Amino acid sequence: MKHARRRHSPLRARVAGTTGALAVILGAGVAPAVAAGKSTGTPMTAAAALDDPAQAPGQAAALDAAQPPGRAAALDAAPAPGQLTLPAPTGRHGVGTVDLHLRDAKRADPWVPGQQRELMVSLWYPATHTSRYPAAQLPVSQQVLPGGVTLPTTAGHTGAPVGRKAGKLPVLLYSPGGRGNRATGTALVQDLASRGYLVVTIDHTHDTGDVVFPGGRHEVSMLPPGSKSRDLIDVRAADTHFVINQLAEIARGHNPDVEHKPLPHGLTQAVSTKHIGMFGASLGGGSVAAAMHEDSRIDAGVNLDGQLFGSSVHQRLDRPYMLFSSEHHNRNSDRSWARLWENLHGERLDLKLRGSGHNSFVDNQVLFPQAPGAFGITPEVMQQALGTIDPNRSIEVQRTYVAAFFDKHLRHRNSDLLDGPSRHYPEVDFIR
């Protein structure tokens, strides 16, 4: 793979910070289908990505940001003019967060010759004494959108100590959609953390539109023309394997952060790599099976509306796996799902969320309706992206089912919710 390295000029960084607010922060970018022959090299705006013709079958929108469910009050009037909000977590724990800079000295960056692979990740976890620590902003390069609209403050508190009452924490890994970054699934991520999980969100450098490293260094998309989704997925699987190794280092008492940033108190004692799950939206969801094949330590996986590419579609997988699709995407419209389904030999679930769109599985679900003008989204495009389901209800349903799946397979907490249709959640179809 030979291509010239592109210089990161100040102008380029500014572009990443402005268009990035729309196309990167919100996860706009390649549809889950950068299918064979589809190029990922041309940047897209948010609106363009929503209407991208090169999309997976039945997936109308390409903005990839997993936005989960929340309380009905989450979309009420913002606390300040132009201030967007995310749904409040529903678990019993406060939430802490810390960003880590990781470097894989054994692996070259697949997109930039001569450079070691570097990642930025965020850890979200049950925390205590959160009022003593600052509320975290989304880990993105720009916090203000056109018109002065400000991105949400998260429920996480930077550096807060890990709550001892949560005990050893099962790990969940999150991979965002194409060109989306690790911020795009924050509503679901922080809710899972409040329920007692250590959730690690991963930026896949040079695949993501803009990643900000310590010192203000920006690494933007470096995908060459003609890049294939299967190649991106292979890299994401390798990234995930490396991140799990770094979590194991933390559990051994080491600090893998390149700058040796202090780790939250109690993290070393809380991390456990004995129970690991992975989930992702769109291309991130399509990467879960490949990561499970790459690393047998991943016990269970959830794919939120993501098409699959590469060899993982044809390989036997004997661990629990859940497909969760939008209204018009399922095994009948996506051959990759049909093929994978035949190779799933652990517990397998195929759920459909009625009335949803592709962007119902990312933070766009709640952000777009709050300020469509700031995102340049028309009502028609918004309905195409989000479907007709109420955003609050969509988030509530996703939080409930994703948590139930991981609770069952990582914590051995069985729930009849996964046995079949529920009168409490009539929007969820079980596809047999």
Side-chain angles (χ1 to χ4, degrees), residues 164-311:
R164 293 182 180 180
K165 293 182 179 179
K168 286 287 186 180
L169 304 178
V171 171
L172 297 178
L173 302 148
Y174 176 75
S175 181
R179 291 202 205 275
N181 65 21
R182 69 189 192 276
T184 54
T186 298
L188 179 54
V189 164
Q190 61 188 17
D191 184 73
L192 289 165
S194 77
R195 296 171 186 247
Y197 287 95
L198 169 61
V199 190
V200 184
T201 60
I202 306 171
D203 267 340
H204 301 285
T205 314
H206 302 132
D207 159 352
T208 297
D210 181 27
V211 182
V212 183
F213 284 84
R217 171 167 60 98
H218 289 253
E219 294 289 342
V220 297
S221 176
M222 299 296 283
L223 298 180
S227 296
K228 305 296 193 300
S229 282
R230 62 175 176 265
D231 296 327
L232 273 66
I233 285 174
D234 288 344
V235 173
R236 285 168 173 240
D239 287 345
T240 303
H241 175 73
F242 169 67
V243 169
I244 295 174
N245 287 343
Q246 302 315 292
L247 292 174
E249 288 298 305
I250 292 175
R252 295 187 189 103
H254 303 298
N255 183 351
D257 184 75
V258 173
E259 287 77 28
H260 302 291
K261 172 189 290 187
L263 300 177
H265 181 73
L267 183 64
T268 295
Q269 295 76 22
V271 173
S272 172
T273 56
K274 293 182 178 180
H275 303 287
I276 300 177
M278 183 175 178
F279 67 109
S282 195
L283 188 67
S287 302
V288 171
M292 293 177 74
H293 286 296
E294 174 81 12
D295 198 316
S296 61
R297 292 172 291 184
I298 303 175
D299 300 304
V302 173
N303 177 351
L304 301 172
D305 211 39
Q307 189 174 4
L308 295 93
F309 300 91
S311 61

Side-chain angles (χ1 to χ4, degrees), residues 66-70 87 185-189 362-363 366 394-396 398-399:
Q67 172 88 31
T186 298
L188 179 54
V189 164
V362 299
D363 285 352
V366 292
S394 173
I395 289 173
E396 178 188 354
Q398 291 175 58
R399 280 181 167 171

